[in-house]
Amino acid sequence: MTEQRSQTGAPLHHVVAAKQFTRELVSALFARAQELQAQLPGPPRRELEGRIMATLFYEPSTRTRLSFESAMLRLGGQVVSTENARDFSSAIKGETLEDSIRIVGGYADCIVLRHPEEGAAKRAAAISPVPVINAGDGPGEHPTQALLDLYTIATEVGRLDHIRLVLVGDLANGRTVHSLSQLLSMYPGLHATLVAPDRLRMSPNLVAQLLAGGAEVEETTDLLAAVENADVVYQTRIQTERMVEPWTADEAELSRFRITEETMRGLPASAIVMHPLPRVGEIDPAVDDDPRAAYFRQARNGVPVRMALLSTVLGR
Amino acid sequence: MTEQRSQTGAPLHHVVAAKQFTRELVSALFARAQELQAQLPGPPRRELEGRIMATLFYEPSTRTRLSFESAMLRLGGQVVSTENARDFSSAIKGETLEDSIRIVGGYADCIVLRHPEEGAAKRAAAISPVPVINAGDGPGEHPTQALLDLYTIATEVGRLDHIRLVLVGDLANGRTVHSLSQLLSMYPGLHATLVAPDRLRMSPNLVAQLLAGGAEVEETTDLLAAVENADVVYQTRIQTERMVEPWTADEAELSRFRITEETMRGLPASAIVMHPLPRVGEIDPAVDDDPRAAYFRQARNGVPVRMALLSTVLGR
Amino acid sequence: MTEQRSQTGAPLHHVVAAKQFTRELVSALFARAQELQAQLPGPPRRELEGRIMATLFYEPSTRTRLSFESAMLRLGGQVVSTENARDFSSAIKGETLEDSIRIVGGYADCIVLRHPEEGAAKRAAAISPVPVINAGDGPGEHPTQALLDLYTIATEVGRLDHIRLVLVGDLANGRTVHSLSQLLSMYPGLHATLVAPDRLRMSPNLVAQLLAGGAEVEETTDLLAAVENADVVYQTRIQTERMVEPWTADEAELSRFRITEETMRGLPASAIVMHPLPRVGEIDPAVDDDPRAAYFRQARNGVPVRMALLSTVLGR
């Protein structure tokens, strides 16, 4: 297994799972990301000039792809890209993921992989001649999303310990919620309030992990009460497309988990609202102009965080 | 509303509608475009090095996209690109245009937007954190096409005043024809001859605008007579895909609006034939080698005109 | 006809067919490719800075596209790209290949064309204002694949004369096999053993060409016997998608043409196994770790070979 847990700033190679990010590595990456962000857009950088990143996407994810490509270009690097990587493994040509990775690894200096199957990134890393960065493997991991979420909390709230986190929405299927709560539980004093429709509650298994990591966990369906002492309200989308059994959500039930101007009135002045985006109604657009609405800044943070990651993985 | 009407070379921000181009701005842009074109391909330029343009296309338009990308790269800039922007707003993920623009505006320094709905560019400009350039919004506007058309007349005919313009084909649905005639009517002495099938005549509203702008307008179905004194014959494609009611064109009727070698025999030696392309039979390929056939030079002019625009919008 | 047969290092213009590569040109290109490969990834190169390559793909071929793009970027050049070039010629917009080439030729300094119809590259070259490089035209030619195959033999076997070549699989439809055997027959002493299912034997016409070029040719269905004295075993995929009559291959029959660990035991220690990839079972993955399995190195060779070609075609 080629996956690495790096120590204190030691270079990363493959980036497959959020659990690779130790506190020391997070610290080093965030210091670098802040430094890079302070200089954006700024004069052209050349530190990755002559280096090529391949984006190999077996399912479309335009936001994630553009964010990675922007990060690479901002460092002076170059990009080759495919949004149709399924062509590699079509009924006609039937190539394995492993073969595709070996081939693309001969064209590029790192591979950003998006794949619908859990474990795809780990399989790719096991045979790739160049670093593989997991940009989401189905219900599995999306470690760079978790990292930019954590970065957003660090820069907006100003600390990572003793965070009062309210997780709202689909806590059963949302891999971002899982990865983020996992990362946050590395820091002391995490208090997580879980606010989900009954059918979409966090799995007992993950709740147990949070508790084992030292977090306090409570569950409620009362969003208004939950946000009153929050530092961070993390809202998620109901990912019906990832559900095994089809589910037609009950509008009235869902509306109780929506963030509106009323919710914002109950939220502390120093708290923030996050969302991995896209949203489809879970947050009322009337909230967008509230300075505590951090979700577009969160999306924007993807670029400096991925710049820090790419410069660590590919830096000479 | 963030749309701007710039004065004498003052920097542009959003480029949404052809009416933003004043005579002074046109003059400055064309001077810049000619200077840039004279140096093509030439040694590498670096004036936009470190800057990123995003192309966000909700419907495919390969010509327009490649022309913009080429312009950006020729200036030393970089590009992130999507031809499948509909994924942003798919049934599954359902994101609004506004949200997509805010997100992409966090990744890039300007957004080139193509969208099937009229008014999309204006909506985007109203909330975008970076300049938006309209690359066509359905039946609405396509201002950079109008600009390169005007540039083609300026460089090929040598002037923009007292132009005898013959507009041929679909004058009801063709947004290029509308924008170009609007731009040309800023200059004195425009004489427009409209040659269209009865069903595809220019709207009375637009004819009235041309007259109000000081142009002389006449309508005919006799193409051969119309071209006799022309400076510019602007041919368009019958855009059946944009028609509200389906229409199966009558071949015999359409053939009267086709440019053939016979048409060229009636055309003055100094006149030119233009077409926004693609063509699907409106101009006989036998005409291509005639030096007055300017449509491929017109397409090529897209690059220096868009370079001038991008360097004005993004220049430091 | 604008196609050229270049002499001793003289610059190439269009690259349409494998027969354009004379021994002198091959020699010059391979010397350049080896020099470039030795420096990969290495410090950034700038020799094609400011130059733009357009990839115009009318059918997807992600490997070929990424390999060309990587080659161009490694030389400091830039790329504009379309995987959906069919949009150019859709039912709605119906543009001819010739018109598309003329337009894209106004945006880029060379065009890499992939097209499903035989002869498309030649048609494109006949009217293109910039060099056209054929990246596969249906059952026709794929000259850069033939060139990288030849390069793989030259660098792995160490010579191009007196090669004992075993061609296995679909010898009726595989254009790579045709082009490679054609190129190899420029060198003295070629011995070709053809191993194919009865239905997929090489055409008598091509066999006659090989014989006329001075090669020895034998045919067999006994793969194990054939590989015993081989220098190169070139395995191909059964391209059912290019067959005129549908064919459901007989698994038992096909298994006799598969390369397995047993085949490798019969293969000389100095021989290599090649495959244009993708493979769909013709080579057992258990063979991948054998140092004689050259197919991934072969794919990787696409980059320096295409770099050599691009720098010859576009070099100032």
Side-chain angles (χ1 to χ4, degrees):
Chain A
M1 179 55 205
T2 46
E3 187 180 319
Q4 298 187 351
R5 288 176 181 250
S6 284
Q7 305 299 328
T8 353
L12 271 173
H13 192 65
H14 303 300
V15 178
V16 171
K19 69 172 191 287
Q20 292 176 259
F21 301 121
T22 59
R23 288 184 58 164
E24 292 74 16
L25 181 57
V26 164
S27 222
L29 286 169
F30 287 6
R32 180 86 180 112
Q34 280 191 285
E35 189 191 338
L36 289 162
Q37 189 164 31
Q39 293 163 31
L40 281 178
R45 311 187 70 95
R46 300 227 171 121
E47 56 225 81
L48 294 188
E49 192 185 349
R51 310 286 266 168
I52 297 176
M53 177 187 89
T55 59
L56 192 58
F57 275 48
Y58 286 81
E59 58 178 16
S61 178
T62 310
R63 278 165 221 78
T64 301
R65 184 174 60 81
L66 295 186
S67 172
F68 266 108
E69 292 183 4
S70 177
M72 186 66 182
L73 295 173
R74 293 266 190 231
L75 290 164
Q78 288 286 12
V79 174
V80 294
S81 185
T82 181
E83 294 188 87
N84 298 316
R86 274 172 202 275
D87 295 337
F88 273 124
S89 59
S90 69
I92 292 171
K93 295 199 175 169
E95 183 170 80
T96 63
L97 172 64
E98 281 80 359
D99 276 16
S100 299
I101 290 287
R102 280 190 189 99
I103 292 172
V104 176
Y107 302 158
D109 301 306
C110 76
I111 297 173
V112 176
L113 176 70
R114 174 86 167 200
H115 200 280
E117 289 167 31
E118 187 163 359
K122 197 169 169 178
R123 281 168 54 207
I127 50 81
S128 176
V130 298
V132 169
I133 300 177
N134 186 358
D137 54 350
E141 291 263 3
H142 192 357
T144 63
Q145 175 74 44
L147 201 63
L148 77 88
D149 288 346
L150 197 68
Y151 179 77
T152 301
I153 296 173
T155 53
E156 298 258 345
V157 179
R159 66 172 197 280
L160 289 171
D161 55 290
H162 297 91
I163 293 295
R164 293 185 67 89
L165 174 70
V166 178
L167 295 168
V168 192
D170 180 353
L171 308 187
N173 302 284
R175 66 186 166 193
T176 42
V177 154
H178 300 179
S179 300
L180 175 62
S181 53
Q182 201 177 37
L183 282 185
L184 266 180
S185 66
M186 295 193 301
Y187 301 85
L190 174 64
H191 182 285
T193 307
L194 314 178
V195 189
D198 192 51
R199 179 168 163 154
L200 298 174
R201 291 170 61 193
M202 190 175 277
S203 74
N205 193 23
L206 187 64
V207 173
Q209 272 181 43
L210 286 176
L211 293 168
E216 282 178 69
V217 179
E218 58 181 299
E219 291 196 74
T220 177
T221 55
D222 185 345
L223 177 58
L224 273 182
V227 304
E228 261 176 23
N229 295 301
D231 296 311
V232 176
V233 178
Y234 197 106
Q235 172 67 288
T236 62
R237 187 167 60 84
I238 310 289
Q239 301 198 49
T240 45
E241 79 275 17
R242 293 215 191 275
M243 291 181 187
V244 179
E245 294 172 49
W247 184 50
T248 310
D250 173 331
E251 260 308 296
E253 189 190 0
L254 283 188
S255 73
R256 296 165 50 209
F257 301 94
R258 220 164 254 157
I259 292 176
T260 62
E261 290 179 288
E262 190 194 357
T263 329
M264 298 306 277
R265 278 193 290 274
L267 191 71
S270 62
I272 57 169
V273 176
M274 296 175 65
H275 191 298
L277 302 178
R279 62 176 165 179
V280 289
E282 311 90 11
I283 300 180
D284 187 334
V287 166
D288 293 358
D289 289 333
D290 190 305
R292 295 167 297 176
Y295 29 91
F296 292 120
R297 297 193 297 273
Q298 177 187 358
R300 179 181 292 265
N301 285 339
V303 176
V305 167
R306 289 175 174 125
M307 287 174 77
L309 209 61
L310 287 168
S311 72
T312 304
V313 167
L314 288 174
R316 278 180 259 240
Chain B
M1 179 57 206
T2 47
E3 187 179 319
Q4 297 186 354
R5 287 176 184 249
S6 285
Q7 304 300 328
T8 352
L12 272 174
H13 193 62
H14 302 301
V15 177
V16 171
K19 68 172 192 289
Q20 291 178 259
F21 300 122
T22 60
R23 288 183 59 164
E24 292 74 16
L25 181 57
V26 164
S27 219
L29 286 169
F30 286 5
R32 180 86 180 112
Q34 279 192 285
E35 186 190 341
L36 289 161
Q37 189 165 31
Q39 292 164 33
L40 281 179
R45 311 188 70 95
R46 300 228 170 119
E47 56 224 80
L48 294 189
E49 193 184 349
R51 311 286 266 169
I52 297 175
M53 177 187 90
T55 58
L56 192 59
F57 275 47
Y58 286 81
E59 58 179 15
S61 178
T62 310
R63 279 164 221 77
T64 302
R65 184 175 61 81
L66 295 186
S67 173
F68 266 109
E69 293 183 4
S70 178
M72 187 66 181
L73 295 173
R74 293 267 191 230
L75 290 165
Q78 287 287 10
V79 174
V80 294
S81 185
T82 182
E83 296 187 88
N84 299 316
R86 274 173 202 275
D87 295 336
F88 273 124
S89 58
S90 69
I92 292 171
K93 296 199 174 172
E95 183 170 82
T96 64
L97 172 65
E98 281 79 359
D99 275 17
S100 299
I101 290 287
R102 279 189 189 99
I103 292 172
V104 176
Y107 302 158
D109 301 307
C110 76
I111 297 173
V112 176
L113 176 70
R114 173 86 168 200
H115 200 280
E117 288 167 31
E118 186 163 2
K122 197 170 171 178
R123 282 167 55 206
I127 49 80
S128 176
V130 297
V132 169
I133 300 177
N134 186 356
D137 54 350
E141 291 263 3
H142 193 356
T144 64
Q145 175 74 45
L147 200 63
L148 77 88
D149 288 346
L150 197 68
Y151 179 77
T152 302
I153 296 172
T155 53
E156 299 257 345
V157 179
R159 64 172 199 278
L160 288 171
D161 56 292
H162 297 91
I163 293 295
R164 295 186 66 90
L165 174 69
V166 178
L167 295 167
V168 191
D170 180 352
L171 308 186
N173 301 284
R175 66 186 166 194
T176 42
V177 153
H178 300 180
S179 300
L180 175 61
S181 52
Q182 202 176 37
L183 282 185
L184 266 180
S185 66
M186 297 193 300
Y187 300 85
L190 174 64
H191 183 285
T193 309
L194 313 178
V195 188
D198 193 52
R199 180 168 164 153
L200 298 174
R201 291 171 59 195
M202 189 176 277
S203 74
N205 193 23
L206 188 63
V207 172
Q209 272 181 44
L210 286 177
L211 293 168
E216 282 178 67
V217 179
E218 57 180 300
E219 290 197 74
T220 177
T221 55
D222 184 347
L223 178 58
L224 273 182
V227 304
E228 262 175 22
N229 296 302
D231 294 311
V232 176
V233 178
Y234 197 106
Q235 171 69 287
T236 62
R237 189 166 59 82
I238 310 288
Q239 302 198 49
T240 45
E241 78 276 18
R242 294 217 190 273
M243 291 181 185
V244 177
E245 293 171 49
W247 184 51
T248 310
D250 174 330
E251 260 309 296
E253 189 189 0
L254 283 188
S255 72
R256 295 167 47 210
F257 302 93
R258 220 164 254 158
I259 292 176
T260 63
E261 290 179 288
E262 190 193 356
T263 330
M264 297 306 277
R265 278 193 290 274
L267 190 71
S270 63
I272 57 168
V273 176
M274 295 174 67
H275 190 298
L277 303 179
R279 62 175 165 181
V280 288
E282 311 89 11
I283 300 180
D284 186 335
V287 167
D288 293 359
D289 289 333
D290 191 303
R292 296 167 296 175
Y295 29 91
F296 293 119
R297 298 193 295 273
Q298 177 188 359
R300 179 181 293 264
N301 285 340
V303 176
V305 167
R306 289 176 174 122
M307 287 175 76
L309 208 60
L310 287 167
S311 73
T312 304
V313 167
L314 288 174
R316 277 180 260 242
Chain C
M1 179 56 204
T2 47
E3 186 180 320
Q4 297 186 352
R5 289 175 182 248
S6 286
Q7 305 300 329
T8 351
L12 272 173
H13 193 63
H14 303 300
V15 178
V16 171
K19 68 172 191 289
Q20 292 177 257
F21 300 121
T22 60
R23 287 184 58 165
E24 293 72 17
L25 181 56
V26 164
S27 226
L29 287 169
F30 286 5
R32 180 87 180 112
Q34 279 191 285
E35 188 191 339
L36 289 162
Q37 189 164 32
Q39 292 164 31
L40 282 178
R45 311 187 71 94
R46 300 226 169 121
E47 57 224 79
L48 294 189
E49 194 184 347
R51 311 285 268 169
I52 297 175
M53 176 187 90
T55 60
L56 192 58
F57 275 48
Y58 286 82
E59 58 178 14
S61 177
T62 310
R63 277 165 223 79
T64 301
R65 184 174 61 81
L66 295 186
S67 173
F68 266 109
E69 293 183 4
S70 178
M72 187 66 182
L73 296 172
R74 293 267 190 231
L75 290 165
Q78 288 286 11
V79 174
V80 294
S81 185
T82 182
E83 295 188 87
N84 299 317
R86 275 173 201 274
D87 294 337
F88 273 124
S89 57
S90 69
I92 292 172
K93 295 199 174 170
E95 182 170 81
T96 64
L97 172 64
E98 282 79 359
D99 275 17
S100 298
I101 290 287
R102 280 190 190 96
I103 292 172
V104 175
Y107 302 158
D109 300 307
C110 75
I111 298 173
V112 176
L113 176 70
R114 174 87 168 200
H115 201 280
E117 288 167 30
E118 187 163 0
K122 197 169 170 179
R123 282 168 52 204
I127 50 80
S128 176
V130 298
V132 169
I133 300 178
N134 186 358
D137 54 351
E141 291 262 3
H142 192 357
T144 64
Q145 175 74 43
L147 200 63
L148 77 88
D149 288 346
L150 197 68
Y151 179 77
T152 302
I153 296 172
T155 54
E156 299 257 346
V157 179
R159 64 172 199 280
L160 289 171
D161 55 290
H162 297 91
I163 292 294
R164 294 186 66 88
L165 174 70
V166 179
L167 295 168
V168 192
D170 181 352
L171 307 187
N173 301 285
R175 65 185 166 195
T176 42
V177 154
H178 300 179
S179 302
L180 175 61
S181 52
Q182 203 176 37
L183 282 185
L184 266 180
S185 65
M186 296 193 300
Y187 300 85
L190 174 64
H191 182 285
T193 307
L194 313 177
V195 190
D198 193 52
R199 179 170 164 150
L200 299 174
R201 290 170 61 193
M202 189 175 277
S203 73
N205 193 23
L206 188 63
V207 172
Q209 271 181 43
L210 286 177
L211 292 169
E216 283 178 67
V217 180
E218 59 182 298
E219 291 197 74
T220 176
T221 55
D222 185 347
L223 177 58
L224 272 182
V227 304
E228 261 175 24
N229 295 302
D231 295 311
V232 176
V233 178
Y234 198 106
Q235 172 68 287
T236 62
R237 189 166 60 82
I238 310 288
Q239 300 198 50
T240 45
E241 78 274 19
R242 292 216 192 275
M243 292 182 188
V244 178
E245 295 171 48
W247 184 49
T248 310
D250 174 331
E251 259 310 295
E253 189 190 0
L254 282 187
S255 73
R256 295 167 47 211
F257 301 94
R258 219 162 255 157
I259 292 176
T260 63
E261 290 179 287
E262 191 194 357
T263 330
M264 297 306 277
R265 278 193 292 274
L267 190 71
S270 62
I272 56 169
V273 176
M274 296 174 66
H275 190 296
L277 302 178
R279 62 174 166 182
V280 288
E282 311 88 11
I283 300 179
D284 187 334
V287 167
D288 293 358
D289 289 333
D290 190 305
R292 296 168 297 177
Y295 30 91
F296 293 119
R297 298 193 296 273
Q298 177 188 358
R300 179 181 292 264
N301 285 340
V303 176
V305 167
R306 289 177 173 122
M307 288 174 77
L309 208 61
L310 288 167
S311 72
T312 304
V313 167
L314 287 174
R316 276 179 260 243

